[in-house]
Amino acid sequence: MGTVLRIVCFLIFCITRVSAVDTFPEKFALGRIDGDVTLSCDTAKPHVTWKHDSEDVEPSELAELKDKQLTLHNFQEDQMGNYTCWSEGELLDYTYILLDESWKFIDSIISCTAETFNCTFKISCRMDQAGFNVFRLRNKRDDSSWVQRSEDGFFYLTHSTNPYAEEAKQLEVIGEAVSYSDRYFTISHNFYLRDIIKPASPQINMSKKSVTVRPPASWAKPESYYPLEHEIQYRKRDDGKEISIMLDGTMKVPDGMSHVRGRCRDLLLLSQWSDWTPWQNVRKGRKKKQKAKNGTKQE
């Protein structure tokens, strides 16, 4: 069964070598220009031969074969790709060599936010870089597994931060990327959970006479321990001018307003503001005015 799986893996990588890498190889090694790369064949057999893609690897000054190891000296771009080891026509193992370009990336290209301090909610992260097509992230501090990008473009990472204790150690998010041209890089992003808080949008309830704002459902409790600051924005009916006020609780809807929306942030940390809620119509009851006209009542 193991031999069948290895043959399948080999065939897959022979195909993808033509169209280049479009996922993370299960087993890969990293090479840097002018450096050395050593590969080992995972087998109990004492002697093996090697192939680079479909070509045999012959011993030379740049390719040293010893027992079950292959060492490539003065590594160059044309040596990237899939390496397989064989014995008596049997495929034994493979390793894919990617060109390591991590040295090019000094500044982190990972950005993360968290809706709340609760560890029951995941951290949302983004990672992107021109020229690279496959990415993955993991929370190294909590020894989490690799996470692939979701359909909405985010990476959702679990964490074990205690919301009621001071953070003693930063989160460390590790990112990796590969390209169709067999290039690779890794980068890290370190932060405290408190530094990436961005609450979800608040809950806004409208009535004919008042507007009430409440924390988002995902926000940590008790609210007295995690106070939020709320900003309410009104749009005037006559000229469309927008007016902002700070609100905690309930207030009367000002006259002449057509729409209202709100956002919030952590009051103590002065965190990032949440996204604005969608504009809501202000449905305010009109006063009935009685006018004498031909003995009828009009509104």
Side-chain angles (χ1 to χ4, degrees):
M1 184 64 180
T3 301
V4 174
L5 290 176
R6 289 183 177 182
I7 292 175
V8 171
C9 290
F10 171 67
L11 293 175
I12 290 173
F13 276 96
C14 283
I15 294 172
T16 56
R17 179 56 183 164
V18 177
S19 60
V21 174
D22 58 4
T23 187
F24 280 93
E26 181 180 348
K27 184 179 180 182
F28 65 91
L30 302 175
R32 289 199 174 187
I33 299 299
D34 297 330
D36 292 347
V37 183
T38 299
L39 308 179
S40 296
C41 185
D42 185 11
T43 179
K45 296 187 177 183
H47 302 290
V48 299
T49 58
W50 290 85
K51 288 187 179 183
H52 175 206
D53 296 329
S54 59
E55 300 293 326
D56 291 334
V57 178
E58 301 293 343
S60 67
E61 292 183 356
L62 300 179
E64 180 184 351
L65 283 72
K66 184 178 181 181
D67 298 329
K68 295 179 286 186
Q69 288 190 332
L70 166 64
T71 299
L72 303 174
H73 300 291
N74 192 28
F75 182 80
Q76 301 298 314
E77 290 190 19
D78 61 357
Q79 293 174 296
M80 298 184 297
N82 191 37
Y83 286 79
T84 54
C85 56
W86 301 74
S87 178
E88 299 178 349
E90 179 187 0
L91 172 64
L92 303 174
D93 197 11
Y94 82 92
T95 303
Y96 206 98
I97 299 184
L98 302 170
L99 180 63
D100 187 3
E101 296 187 334
S102 301
W103 59 273
K104 293 183 178 181
F105 300 89
I106 300 174
D107 299 325
S108 178
I109 57 171
I110 302 172
S111 61
C112 301
T113 59
E115 287 189 4
T116 179
F117 294 92
N118 290 338
C119 60
T120 54
F121 288 83
K122 296 181 179 180
I123 298 171
S124 304
C125 296
R126 285 188 179 274
M127 178 183 179
D128 207 355
Q129 178 63 38
F132 290 81
N133 53 291
V134 184
F135 304 86
R136 65 183 183 181
L137 297 178
R138 77 182 188 93
N139 173 8
K140 182 178 179 181
R141 188 197 72 178
D142 297 335
D143 197 24
S144 301
S145 301
W146 288 107
V147 174
Q148 307 297 324
R149 179 155 43 194
S150 301
E151 293 183 359
D152 61 3
F154 285 94
F155 298 85
Y156 294 101
L157 306 180
T158 60
H159 67 98
S160 60
T161 306
N162 184 344
Y164 303 106
E166 188 72 17
E167 290 180 86
K169 187 178 180 181
Q170 287 184 318
L171 288 149
E172 182 179 5
V173 173
I174 304 295
E176 290 186 333
V178 295
S179 71
Y180 289 131
S181 57
D182 294 349
R183 283 160 171 77
Y184 164 98
F185 76 88
T186 183
I187 201 164
S188 65
H189 182 37
N190 296 58
F191 53 86
Y192 291 106
L193 185 67
R194 60 177 179 267
D195 295 330
I196 64 165
I197 291 295
K198 181 184 178 181
S201 301
Q203 303 176 78
I204 294 183
N205 298 318
M206 296 289 303
S207 68
K208 291 183 178 180
K209 297 182 179 181
S210 65
V211 55
T212 301
V213 60
R214 297 290 301 159
S218 60
W219 189 242
K221 293 178 175 57
E223 295 172 17
S224 58
Y225 192 82
Y226 296 102
L228 283 174
E229 180 179 32
H230 296 91
E231 182 180 6
I232 297 297
Q233 197 170 69
Y234 290 101
R235 181 179 290 163
K236 296 180 68 174
R237 183 175 289 108
D238 53 358
D239 59 8
K241 183 178 179 180
E242 296 174 358
I243 301 174
S244 295
I245 60 173
M246 307 310 293
L247 174 63
D248 182 15
T250 302
M251 69 169 290
K252 181 181 178 182
V253 177
D255 293 332
M257 300 299 168
S258 63
H259 295 83
V260 63
R261 65 178 182 174
R263 63 178 183 171
C264 62
R265 68 176 177 177
D266 188 290
L267 178 61
L268 301 180
L269 296 176
L270 297 182
S271 67
Q272 300 179 62
W273 284 101
S274 72
D275 294 331
W276 287 102
T277 62
W279 285 104
Q280 295 187 36
N281 291 329
V282 176
R283 297 181 179 180
K284 193 173 181 183
R286 296 180 179 178
K287 294 181 179 179
K288 292 184 178 181
K289 296 182 178 180
Q290 183 174 346
K291 295 182 178 180
K293 187 176 181 181
N294 297 328
T296 62
K297 295 181 180 180
Q298 295 182 338
E299 292 185 10

